[in-house]
Amino acid sequence: MSEILGEILQVGFFAAILRIATPLILATIGEMFSERGGVLNLGIEGIMLLGSMTGFTAAYYSGSLWLGILAAMAVGALMALLMGLLTVTLGLSQHVSGIGTTLLCTGLAFFFYRLIFGQPSLPPNVEGFQVAPIPLLAEIPLIGPLLFNQFTLVYLALLLVPAAAFLLNHTSWGLSLRAVGENPRAADGAGVSVAKMRYQGLMLSGMLMGAAGAYLSMAQFNAFTFGVISGRGWVCIALVVFGQWSPWKCLAGALLFGFVDALQLRLQASGVIEIPYQFFLMLPFVLTIVAMALVSRSAIPPAALLVPFRKEER
Amino acid sequence: MIQLRLETRQHTPAWLRLALPLFAILATLVVCGGLVTLAGASVLEAYSKLLLSAVSSKFNFVETLVKAAPIAFTGLAVAVAFRAKFWNIGAEGQLLAGAMAAAFIGGRGALPGWSLVPLMLFSGMAAGAAWALIPAWLKTRYKVDDVVTTLLLNFIMFYLMMALVDGPWKDPLSGYPDSPDIRMDAEFPILLGGTRLHLGVVLAFVAAPLIWFLMRRTTAGFNIRAVGESATAARYAGINIPVVIVGTAALSGALAGLAGVGEVGGIHFQVMAGLSPGYGYTGIVIATLALLNPLGVLPAAFFFAVIITGAEAMSRATGVPVFLADVFQGVALISMLIAILFTQYRVRLRR
């Protein structure tokens, strides 16, 4: 037992939680924006994968990691536009549209990766993001190495949370987005374009999902593999429910998941507990379901989530 | 000025139900043709391989039927579940549950040989149903979203399977993480010598009309459709909605489980990582193209079996990545969703 505690109580472990949680924070906040506007974006898993592939490829050929991030965000926005066309303009089932978008994005990511890189014996890789310590702050004992000696994207993800909370709760844009997610008829009556707000929420979500995917292939693994996302997108859907559609609670959920994931990685590596490593891989998914069962009864989704809005119908 | 306007249809003409999937497939072929061109191949050559290699010989044709069996079962599983608006995206995990149960039973030495195949079928259905009951129970009891739980359970089942075949259930004679082969008596009978046309293929063809009958001609089927049409109306009609949801989930899971049983009993004789290349997700595409009609699942499953087998031949001949088949499924699902709009609306020109 003390061995396990020894593994856990290290600054490096807490720093790892933040690194693992970063893509989840980005994608979960993205999904939250989309859902607050009334659209469940189940394209998330595929958009993250396509973002991961696009970002990696752009960085590989341009030599610029940030250009890779931008490319991933652009392709994420493009796929969110498709989601918008299907669910907002055409009012189709958000469930099936999302699964369709994920299947399409997954197929495109595999197709173009094979087309561009072929089947090399060694997968191509990029020199990924390096940690960017913040001067002075990084020197603070304990907190410094934990919070201020990370990738720039980790800082940005952490800053995204208060920014998202402010945008959602203290700006007229946020008010409009929440209005079309709760009562689109009333919002429409007040002169807010329901379609426009939903498209904007979706595209913001797509950009953040693309960036989340790119983080995985350019900061965490520094290469693209077909299994790079392996369910992380679906976990983010659960985290939004767990976070009750609030940015700060979503952050808490992502950190909790990061903790479990970091823990299983440590336990796997330490060999303290001798059980097959697949059980550790399974653990975050099991806990996500348990967490959802605990909160789902009290979680109140946006009232108009999943409901298409047609202006002419009363 | 001419305006396009959508008007609600009172009823859908029958020819439209047949024309829409064909229209969706045509649109998909056009979109994917762009990708083939981008890959530097001739569309005509690539498509002749993609669409015709499955029917180019008797052997290939039978192989395509064999490929169609698991996706017909997952298609049926999804068609039944979606009718009740139980969003079962978990056919993949339920398939694996069924496959594991079949591989386990099929390897028991103590059981009499004649009992193996029926017991595999039964246990596979039970395992698939049990795995689908978890999200149904969470949905009815705790209001947990079924989409998320069924998706997450796919990953849990996959890792569970890999933990077993990499650990206590590993074949001692094999260097790979896979389970021991099932007994000879447990292998599904082959119906056509020299091919892999096994019992599971026939079962898929029998299951589709049976499920059609169940959905259209029985009270249980009526209840399933009523819950999906309008939960409020179903409640007023005195239908116990949680019971219907749980029953639908069990039926759906059992069908997906049979997909796994067939793959173990007729093709692989063991479970391993590559057992299902996403057959559960393909089931969603197939069910949607069939407009959730169990009889329509059969031709849709055959068509996607053609695409999946044809993609290999196309890739070998033209160098177009085999993953065109995956793009094809995504585009087909989206095209069909758009096409379905025309069953509810008609486009009118207005001056």
Side-chain angles (χ1 to χ4, degrees):
Chain A
M1 200 62 209
S2 61
E3 279 178 88
I4 299 175
L5 279 177
E7 286 288 335
I8 295 173
L9 294 174
Q10 291 171 357
V11 174
F13 175 72
F14 289 101
I17 294 177
L18 272 182
R19 278 201 304 277
I20 291 171
T22 294
L24 301 165
I25 296 170
L26 294 170
T28 305
I29 296 288
E31 180 69 34
M32 182 215 65
F33 273 117
S34 172
E35 292 190 21
R36 286 305 285 264
V39 184
L40 175 71
N41 188 355
L42 282 185
I44 183 167
E45 179 87 5
I47 293 176
M48 284 175 76
L49 186 73
L50 190 58
S52 195
M53 197 286 290
T54 311
F56 175 82
T57 307
Y60 184 84
Y61 282 104
S62 72
S64 161
L65 294 168
W66 288 105
L67 206 65
I69 297 286
L70 281 181
M73 291 175 77
V75 82
L78 192 70
M79 287 302 154
L81 204 62
L82 173 70
M83 265 303 281
L85 175 74
L86 298 173
T87 60
V88 180
T89 306
L90 298 176
L92 298 169
S93 154
Q94 294 182 6
H95 285 124
V96 191
S97 301
I99 297 294
T101 304
T102 283
L103 286 179
L104 172 65
C105 290
T106 307
L108 287 175
F110 293 173
F111 181 88
F112 280 108
Y113 185 79
R114 177 64 59 83
L115 192 63
I116 294 165
F117 294 102
Q119 276 175 291
S121 49
L122 265 179
N125 62 327
V126 289
E127 181 88 24
F129 281 103
Q130 304 296 315
V131 289
I134 295 177
L136 296 176
L137 291 176
E139 310 294 322
I140 306 171
L142 287 176
I143 297 179
L146 169 64
L147 269 181
F148 302 113
N149 190 26
Q150 298 276 14
F151 302 126
T152 309
L153 278 169
V154 176
Y155 307 136
L156 289 177
L158 290 175
L159 289 174
L160 174 70
V161 181
F166 178 80
L167 193 61
L168 200 61
N169 297 319
H170 299 287
T171 66
S172 64
W173 184 84
L175 181 67
S176 301
L177 186 76
R178 285 183 289 132
V180 302
E182 292 293 337
N183 191 340
R185 183 71 57 207
D188 182 58
V192 176
S193 165
V194 176
K196 197 175 107 192
M197 291 314 299
R198 287 187 170 174
Y199 266 101
Q200 288 177 358
L202 264 170
M203 289 180 68
L204 189 53
S205 84
M207 284 190 261
L208 289 171
M209 289 164 190
Y215 176 92
L216 288 167
S217 60
M218 290 156 64
Q220 203 153 321
F221 303 124
N222 299 343
F224 174 80
T225 57
F226 287 5
V228 70
I229 309 297
S230 46
R232 282 182 178 83
W234 307 130
V235 167
C236 292
I237 300 275
L239 289 178
V240 175
V241 180
F242 181 76
Q244 309 198 342
W245 295 268
S246 132
W248 290 105
K249 289 181 187 166
C250 285
L251 171 69
L255 289 175
L256 191 66
F257 188 93
F259 170 76
V260 175
D261 212 20
L263 185 65
Q264 66 93 359
L265 283 172
R266 285 286 157 119
L267 292 178
Q268 241 187 75
S270 72
V272 177
I273 304 173
E274 284 190 27
I275 55 172
Y277 71 93
Q278 291 93 345
F279 279 105
F280 291 115
L281 294 174
M282 197 195 300
L283 190 65
F285 293 98
V286 176
L287 289 178
T288 305
I289 292 183
V290 172
M292 284 198 61
L294 291 176
V295 302
S296 275
R297 279 193 161 214
S298 54
I300 302 161
L305 187 66
L306 300 175
V307 186
F309 176 72
R310 290 196 185 88
K311 202 169 172 162
E312 65 277 14
E313 280 175 15
R314 299 261 151 189
Chain B
M1 198 177 130
I2 300 171
Q3 273 191 321
L4 282 176
R5 210 182 121 80
L6 290 180
E7 281 179 5
T8 317
R9 264 185 204 281
Q10 295 311 314
H11 75 281
T12 314
W15 64 266
L16 202 56
R17 295 184 169 276
L18 287 173
L20 290 177
L22 297 178
F23 165 77
I25 287 167
L26 200 67
T28 308
L29 285 170
V30 172
V31 172
C32 290
L35 290 179
V36 170
T37 313
L38 211 59
S42 133
V43 176
L44 210 64
E45 192 195 348
Y47 273 5
S48 71
K49 289 284 176 195
L50 182 71
L51 298 169
L52 299 180
S53 29
V55 288
S56 62
S57 71
K58 191 183 126 195
F59 178 80
N60 285 2
F61 180 75
V62 172
E63 273 298 296
T64 309
L65 285 179
V66 170
K67 268 274 190 305
I71 53 183
F73 272 122
T74 54
L76 287 173
V78 173
V80 166
F82 278 22
R83 270 281 182 230
K85 293 219 166 74
F86 175 69
W87 301 108
N88 184 10
I89 322 291
E92 185 78 8
Q94 292 142 22
L95 179 155
L96 295 179
M100 285 163 70
F104 180 78
I105 295 290
R108 293 307 92 199
L111 294 168
W114 59 265
S115 71
L116 287 173
V117 171
L119 280 177
M120 283 161 72
L121 290 169
F122 180 77
S123 62
M125 284 167 67
W131 198 242
L133 282 179
I134 299 173
W137 173 69
L138 288 169
K139 179 188 169 88
T140 50
R141 181 88 173 78
Y142 295 101
K143 295 194 162 116
V144 186
D145 186 62
D146 37 355
V147 174
V148 182
T149 45
T150 50
L151 278 166
L152 294 175
L153 283 165
N154 289 343
F155 289 87
I156 295 175
M157 184 49 83
F158 179 75
Y159 289 134
L160 180 66
M161 178 179 89
M162 292 315 292
L164 290 173
V165 297
D166 202 13
W169 202 19
K170 188 175 184 313
D171 184 355
L173 304 174
S174 154
Y176 299 99
D178 48 29
S179 72
D181 280 4
I182 56 174
R183 288 167 55 192
M184 293 287 271
D185 292 336
E187 293 181 11
F188 277 9
I190 296 291
L191 304 159
L192 195 63
T195 71
R196 300 200 289 179
L197 192 72
H198 59 84
L199 177 69
V201 183
V202 181
L203 288 179
F205 275 87
V206 176
L210 280 179
I211 296 296
W212 179 87
F213 183 83
L214 177 89
M215 297 297 285
R216 288 300 169 92
R217 296 280 185 271
T218 67
T219 317
F222 173 80
N223 288 350
I224 291 176
R225 287 187 292 137
V227 167
E229 291 281 328
S230 161
T232 325
R235 198 174 295 115
Y236 280 122
I239 295 173
N240 188 334
I241 294 176
V243 168
V244 172
I245 299 251
V246 168
T248 309
L251 176 62
S252 174
L255 286 165
L258 280 176
V261 178
E263 290 303 283
V264 167
I267 306 292
H268 299 295
F269 313 121
Q270 58 170 204
V271 294
M272 71 296 179
L275 188 78
S276 170
Y279 287 154
Y281 303 104
T282 306
I284 299 169
V285 184
I286 288 171
T288 307
L289 239 76
L291 287 162
L292 306 187
N293 181 338
L295 291 179
V297 163
L298 288 181
F302 182 77
F303 177 74
F304 280 97
V306 167
I307 297 295
I308 292 168
T309 44
E312 303 271 353
M314 176 199 69
S315 183
R316 275 194 304 273
T318 65
V320 176
V322 67
F323 302 107
L324 188 76
D326 298 71
V327 182
F328 199 98
Q329 292 182 29
V331 178
L333 179 54
I334 290 171
S335 309
M336 188 60 196
L337 269 182
I338 296 173
I340 288 173
L341 267 185
F342 293 97
T343 63
Q344 296 150 9
Y345 299 96
R346 56 168 59 182
V347 181
R348 275 282 165 84
L349 290 176
R350 208 170 60 165
R351 275 170 212 283

